[in-house]
Amino acid sequence: MKELLDFVKELSFVRTAGSEQERKAGELIMGEIQGILEETGKKDIQAEYMPFRIPHAKVHQCCVQAAGRELPCVPYLRSGNIDRECGLVYLDGASEIDLAGAGSLEGKAVLLNGITDEKLYKRLVEHKAAAFLTMQGMYYFSEEEASLYPRRLGEYLSRNGVIPGFAITAADALRLIQEETDRIRLTLEQEDTEPESRNVSAVIRGTDLGEESIVLTAHYDSVPVGAGAWDNATGAAALLGIFRHFAANPARRTLRFLWCGSEEPGLLGSKAYVEQQKDLLEKIGFCFNFDMCGTALGSNRIVVTGEKELQTFVEQYCKIACYAANIRAGIHSSDSAPFCDNGIPAVGLGRGTNTAEVHTIHDLPSILSGKAMDRNVAFAVRMIGDVANAAVLPVKKGMPEDRKKELDQYFHREESGARG
């Protein structure tokens, strides 16, 4: 197997969900898995692709014109089509007060600071907005620095109705407002598609407690800008390093390694696995997730999702292992979340820094350190080994009520009150 940082560099290319580049990345991971199996002489370890379909769209036209200029823009995928001139109104947060002052939105495009809140979006639908625009980056960013890329309109929004959406740079948004632009021409033509994405799975059977399982996850897709080195070629590589150790040194419990496709558009790979493997969920007692490891500058980070005893366990374990980390309890916005949603406690391991950004053109291997990667993996191997070989798992399954409420909110169930 390659050195961890070398594999990160090899995997550092745009590999968006459902694309040929994502498929290539999955094949690189499978190639490393097969190399490890040859190296360790293991013939009983199962490795396979697990395909699933994802909601996507093919864009034929996307254009925003205002004040005699064509603005750089990207669409919200699966947000419908439009080809018309609209009035333009800026609403800070589309609150009830904002809307009361704006009057009718029929035939108007609404410029917003962001659109992640379902209640906000629902108001736009109810007030018959013709389209919406959001802004990306800082006002002083160039078009390249703003890192514009298409996002899918989430189902939790579109279930209220479909409004065509666009993203523009913050610099252009500022100019529109300062110049008091009141008319805008919008064109968006797209068609819904369902390309195939794939999880990569490898299972190391337990030696004597094989009916009990631990799942280990990391996503390998990226957003359409930058190289996706930190997010999350590092996690994919870390998981390979951990796999290499346990392929040679099987644990008492079965270890299910899962390199997830299509995490960026909404944890689609881990959601698909949970849906496809429902019968396995009762046998999975723990989840370890790896997302964004190995930065040269920064600090180790751990997110614990489970009962209070899990946080206590992790805090004490770090002291025993002499591993300094910022530990917080809550929902890790990563591939462990669908497992937690099924009552499986999780530990999310990574390394953060305030000197770099993900989902931008700056997510490059240059911010990473091979030594930091190795330290992250060494700690993970130690902790996973102790948990997987324990006489009894150190924490019980299940989620406390406050965490269940956070999961409901995270998966946008608070409107209906129904758990999935």
Side-chain angles (χ1 to χ4, degrees), residues 284-285 338-345 396-399 407 419:
I284 298 176
F339 292 95
C340 297
D341 203 36
N342 284 274
I344 298 169
K396 62 183 179 182
K397 291 184 71 170
M399 293 288 144
L407 284 162
R419 286 187 62 79

Side-chain angles (χ1 to χ4, degrees), residues 131-400:
F132 70 87
L133 297 95
T134 61
M135 59 194 81
Q136 193 164 323
M138 301 294 184
Y139 79 90
Y140 49 83
F141 279 4
S142 67
E143 177 187 347
E144 182 185 25
E145 289 172 326
S147 300
L148 287 175
Y149 64 88
R151 292 169 167 81
R152 181 169 54 89
L153 187 67
E155 286 90 348
Y156 73 98
L157 299 177
S158 61
R159 66 190 178 191
N160 297 286
V162 173
I163 304 175
F166 303 78
I168 60 175
T169 69
D172 281 324
L174 178 63
R175 186 171 176 178
L176 289 175
I177 299 308
Q178 289 183 335
E179 294 180 353
E180 299 183 1
T181 303
D182 61 0
R183 304 295 296 176
I184 193 165
R185 175 83 194 182
L186 301 173
T187 303
L188 176 55
E189 182 185 350
Q190 61 179 324
E191 59 179 308
D192 292 351
T193 61
E194 289 190 353
E196 183 181 275
S197 182
R198 299 190 295 183
N199 292 326
V200 181
S201 169
V203 180
I204 302 175
R205 301 297 305 179
T207 56
D208 64 310
L209 295 175
E211 288 303 306
E212 298 180 38
S213 294
I214 293 172
V215 65
L216 303 100
T217 56
H219 76 90
Y220 69 90
D221 64 312
S222 78
V223 298
V225 296
W230 182 22
D231 184 17
N232 186 38
T234 57
L239 200 55
L240 281 169
I242 296 163
F243 176 76
R244 181 182 188 181
H245 172 83
F246 286 105
N249 305 278
R252 298 182 70 191
R253 289 174 177 81
T254 294
L255 299 180
R256 300 184 180 278
F257 289 80
L258 187 67
W259 288 264
C260 298
S262 299
E263 186 263 4
E264 294 293 357
L267 316 183
L268 302 183
S270 48
K271 286 179 179 177
Y273 182 88
V274 165
E275 183 65 26
Q276 292 169 350
Q277 304 294 321
K278 285 182 179 179
D279 293 343
L280 277 178
L281 296 182
E282 65 180 48
K283 299 178 181 179
I284 298 176
F286 212 98
C287 174
F288 287 93
N289 184 63
F290 300 86
D291 204 339
M292 300 165 58
C293 307
T295 55
L297 301 175
S299 58
N300 301 316
R301 296 177 181 175
I302 300 177
V303 183
V304 295
T305 312
E307 300 285 354
K308 175 62 179 176
E309 64 178 348
L310 177 57
Q311 183 175 354
T312 302
F313 167 73
V314 172
E315 289 171 347
Q316 297 305 315
Y317 194 91
C318 285
K319 292 177 181 178
I320 293 169
C322 194
Y323 187 79
N326 296 321
I327 302 168
R328 73 169 179 88
I331 308 304
H332 193 185
S333 186
S334 189
D335 285 306
S336 55
F339 292 95
C340 297
D341 203 36
N342 284 274
I344 298 169
V347 173
L349 296 140
R351 183 170 170 82
T353 178
N354 295 325
T355 64
E357 293 179 304
V358 297
H359 299 180
T360 72
I361 60 173
H362 304 294
D363 186 354
L364 303 169
S366 54
I367 68 170
L368 304 172
S369 159
K371 288 184 178 179
M373 284 282 299
D374 290 343
R375 286 194 297 269
N376 287 159
V377 169
F379 172 75
V381 164
R382 178 174 176 177
M383 188 179 199
I384 293 164
D386 285 342
V387 171
N389 289 312
V392 178
L393 286 176
V395 294
K396 62 183 179 182
K397 291 184 71 170
M399 293 288 144

